[in-house]
Amino acid sequence: VEKYDGDKTEILKYSKRIYSEKELSEFRTMQQHPNLFPIIYKINEKFVVLEKLNNESAKNNYKALFEIIGEKHRMFTFNAYLIEYLNANGNISAMPEDFIKVYQDILNNKIKMSNKLKQFFYDIQELLLKIERLNKFQVDISMFNFGYDKKGNLKMLDV
């Protein structure tokens, strides 16, 4: 992603090659869901102009959860938890028992974290589940793939 010299609330994402029809289709689908993804202002085969998100704050929240969950439940990572959550289609009780324990520990304040971080924990699950239910993408859950819009809404940068 490159910085864009136009409007400072936008960024220019471009490829050193021509975007494939599949990629263009994904961008168009993302454009139809501005509550889940950055607002997309323009799409063509060489570049996409989209809403600039604050991904540093989301990345810091993600890393903090990664560390907190890893500290309490040594063998698990936040990534593994999110994968199991999606595999269970958001049904906590359908997750493996150890992952249910992570959820319950957070819910019951056995894993100490700020309210802001706890909200991020719930928001990222809800966001990923909504995207997964679109049934259009292979969801990429890396910590670099999330950001907040200027209103504080968590969105996924890319799929």
Side-chain angles (χ1 to χ4, degrees):
V1 177
E2 285 287 319
K3 201 124 168 103
Y4 175 54
D5 287 334
D7 187 331
K8 297 299 180 198
T9 64
E10 301 173 356
I11 58 172
L12 178 68
K13 178 178 181 164
Y14 73 94
S15 176
K16 293 183 181 177
R17 57 179 174 65
I18 302 293
Y19 283 119
S20 71
E21 188 51 47
K22 179 182 181 288
E23 291 167 316
L24 292 170
S25 175
E26 287 177 349
F27 285 127
R28 286 190 288 273
T29 300
M30 290 170 64
Q31 189 176 37
Q32 294 170 0
H33 300 278
N35 59 322
L36 305 176
F37 303 101
I39 296 168
I40 296 180
Y41 303 104
K42 183 173 182 172
I43 301 170
N44 71 34
E45 61 188 19
K46 294 181 183 176
F47 66 88
V48 177
V49 178
L50 56 139
E51 172 185 31
K52 183 177 181 178
L53 300 179
N54 176 355
N55 63 328
E56 197 60 34
S57 182
K59 183 176 74 173
N60 289 339
N61 287 340
Y62 194 105
K63 283 166 61 173
L65 279 176
F66 191 91
E67 290 169 10
I68 289 168
I69 290 173
E71 200 173 287
K72 178 81 172 163
H73 297 273
R74 296 236 178 261
M75 63 177 71
F76 298 108
T77 66
F78 186 49
N79 294 51
Y81 174 87
L82 290 174
I83 290 167
E84 290 299 330
Y85 180 80
L86 290 175
N87 287 342
N89 199 24
N91 180 358
I92 300 298
S93 63
M95 293 172 65
E97 189 174 318
D98 292 336
F99 289 93
I100 293 172
K101 175 91 171 100
V102 170
Y103 180 84
Q104 290 172 336
D105 283 354
I106 291 171
L107 185 69
N108 298 321
N109 295 317
K110 291 182 179 175
I111 297 178
K112 299 295 180 204
M113 64 179 71
S114 68
N115 288 337
K116 177 184 166 191
L117 203 53
K118 198 176 218 182
Q119 188 61 52
F120 177 79
F121 174 76
Y122 296 123
D123 288 349
I124 197 169
Q125 290 176 99
E126 184 179 325
L127 174 66
L128 288 170
L129 195 56
K130 286 178 180 176
I131 293 169
E132 185 77 12
R133 288 180 175 163
L134 291 175
N135 225 10
K136 301 274 186 183
F137 308 107
Q138 174 79 29
V139 178
D140 177 0
I141 60 168
S142 89
M143 80 172 80
F144 305 103
N145 221 5
F146 301 93
Y148 292 101
D149 67 13
K150 62 185 174 198
K151 294 179 183 173
N153 299 308
L154 184 64
K155 296 183 177 184
M156 186 166 226
L157 295 169
D158 209 351
V159 290

